[in-house]
Amino acid sequence: MKHYIGIDLGGTEVKIGIINGDGAIVKKEAFKTESTMSGDQLVAYMADCAKKVVTSAGMTMKDITGAGIGSAGLLNPDTGQLRIVVNIPQLNDVFIAPGLAKILGVPAFLDNDVNAMVLGEFYYGAAKGYKDVVAMTLGTGVGGGLIFDGKIYRGAAFTAGEIGHMSIDTDGLYCPCGNYGCLERYIGRDGIIQRCKMYMNKGIETSINNYLENGEVTPRAIAKAAEAGDRLAREVMEETGRILGNALATLVNILNPEVFVIGGGVANAGDLILEPARREMKKRAYTIPAQKAIIVRAALKNDAGIVGSACVAVDKLSA
Ligand SMILES: [Zn+2]
C-alpha cells in the first residue's frame, strides 16, 4: 500500500503525519517551531521531524510515495514556493517543497491550507464520489476551495476560492482586505461574536453568560446556549446560517456544484447553522441547481490538516 506524508504548517507548530492509501493516519506528531530559525533551518527541521515520524511508524523513506505541505498565506503550488506567510515571515519566498523533496528523497508538493482541506474531503471525506465541490472553512477567517470536474481550481494567480471576501453588502462593514461588506465580516468568528454582543447589549434575556469560555462570548459558547434552547443564541446561529445560505445561493447560481462541504471551528455548530443555510440557499438560488446542491459538514475533523496536506501529494501523484 502507498503511504504519504502530510505536513500541516501552522504559526507555532508543524503537524506531521503519515496516511495510507485509505486516508487513515498511520502515525502523527506535532513539533514546535522556533521563530529564531531561518527559512532554510525550518525546512531542514521539518524534514528531520518528518523522518522521525516515518521511523517511529516502523517505516523508511522507501515506503513513502510523496509528501504534501499545506500552509496559510500566498504561495505558488507550481514551484512549491511560499510567497507571503504572515505568521512565519522567515519562510517568505522559501522554496519549501523542492527543499523538502531534496532532503527527503521523495516528491513534495505545496498548496494552501484550504485547498488541502478540500482535497482531503474529496479523496477521503464528505466530498468523496463527487466531482464538483465547493468547500468552505468557517473560523477566524472564512476560506474556500474549489474542485471542478474532479480537478482543483486555483485560478490565474493561485488565489481562487476567497469566498470569505465576496461582498454581500456594497456599503457594509469595512474589511481589512480593502473591500466593504465581505462575507467574513459577518460569519467569521469575530462577526458572529460582535452580532451576539450587540443583541446582548440590547438587554434581550439570554443564558449565554452561563456558557462563556474564559469569560468570553465565543461561537462555541453561543452554540452551546443555542443547543440548550436559548432564544437569543438560536437567533444568532440562525442568522449566521441565513447569511451563509445567501452566499451559497450566489455560488450555486454561478458554479452549480454538487456539494458544499463546510468545515472549520464555527461549523461545529452543525445544523444550528447548516439547516437555516439550506433553507436560505433553496429560497434564493435558481431551482434546478439548488435541487442538485447539498450542504454537508466536513467529515475529516481533528486530523483534517494532516490528511488534507498529504492529499496535496496524493492529487499530484495520481494525476
Ligand atoms: Zn474582505
Side-chain angles (χ1 to χ4, degrees):
M1 189 183 260
K2 288 183 176 177
H3 289 85
Y4 300 85
I5 296 173
I7 300 176
D8 179 16
L9 186 54
T12 56
E13 65 170 15
V14 55
K15 292 182 194 150
I16 301 178
I18 299 167
I19 68 162
N20 65 21
D22 295 328
I25 298 234
V26 175
K27 198 85 195 177
K28 62 170 178 174
E29 204 173 329
F31 301 88
K32 288 260 167 290
T33 52
E34 301 296 337
S35 55
T36 52
M37 289 178 182
S38 72
D40 287 344
Q41 283 172 332
L42 267 170
V43 173
Y45 173 70
M46 279 184 254
D48 235 33
C49 296
K51 284 180 181 171
K52 264 183 207 156
V53 178
V54 170
T55 306
S56 67
M59 298 179 174
T60 71
M61 286 307 298
K62 285 199 172 65
D63 301 309
I64 303 296
T65 305
I69 309 136
S71 171
L74 280 179
L75 49 82
N76 183 331
D78 284 352
T79 61
Q81 184 189 26
L82 291 163
R83 303 305 301 275
I84 301 170
V85 195
V86 176
N87 289 332
I88 325 165
Q90 64 269 45
L91 283 176
N92 288 354
D93 296 325
V94 168
F95 285 89
I96 187 170
L100 283 169
K102 200 173 163 195
I103 306 175
L104 294 175
V106 296
F109 305 95
L110 171 70
D111 212 331
N112 77 55
D113 47 2
V114 190
N115 283 347
M117 178 263 194
V118 69
L119 284 170
E121 294 293 331
F122 176 70
Y123 281 99
Y124 301 117
K128 200 175 167 181
Y130 296 97
K131 43 185 198 36
D132 295 313
V133 183
V134 175
M136 280 180 78
T137 52
L138 307 182
T140 307
V142 172
L146 309 169
I147 288 179
F148 300 134
D149 202 19
K151 289 203 182 76
I152 192 130
Y153 180 79
R154 295 189 175 85
F158 315 115
T159 67
E162 289 287 357
I163 296 171
H165 297 281
M166 166 164 75
S167 179
I168 55 166
D169 184 352
T170 308
D171 300 312
L173 298 170
Y174 177 73
C175 178
C177 79
N179 200 352
Y180 291 84
C182 287
L183 180 64
E184 181 171 295
R185 294 287 279 112
Y186 301 87
I187 64 169
R189 187 176 188 278
D190 291 346
I192 295 171
I193 293 169
Q194 275 169 23
R195 230 164 348 96
C196 186
K197 284 184 176 168
M198 184 183 78
Y199 293 134
M200 290 169 81
N201 289 338
K202 283 183 178 166
I204 300 169
E205 199 184 303
T206 174
S207 63
I208 287 176
N209 285 328
N210 297 337
Y211 300 93
L212 302 183
E213 294 188 313
N214 299 322
E216 297 287 335
V217 175
T218 64
R220 186 158 44 188
I222 302 168
K224 277 186 185 161
E227 269 158 23
D230 186 90
R231 284 187 60 184
L232 186 153
R234 288 194 84 90
E235 177 51 33
V236 172
M237 286 291 145
E238 169 94 20
E239 195 176 12
T240 303
R242 285 202 307 269
I243 298 169
L244 172 63
N246 173 25
L248 296 184
T250 300
L251 295 170
V252 163
N253 288 349
I254 299 173
L255 304 175
N256 186 198
E258 296 171 286
V259 59
F260 289 101
V261 179
I262 315 291
V266 171
N268 288 335
D271 281 344
L272 286 170
I273 289 176
L274 297 190
E275 219 17 73
R278 290 182 187 108
R279 281 201 307 273
E280 196 71 14
M281 182 273 279
K282 289 217 152 60
K283 204 163 83 186
R284 288 174 181 253
Y286 279 119
T287 309
I288 289 172
Q291 279 169 346
K292 184 84 190 164
I294 60 166
I295 301 172
V296 299
R297 271 177 78 181
L300 307 175
K301 297 282 186 291
N302 294 333
D303 297 323
I306 291 173
V307 177
S309 300
C311 284
V312 173
V314 172
D315 189 57
K316 286 280 186 179
L317 295 171
S318 64

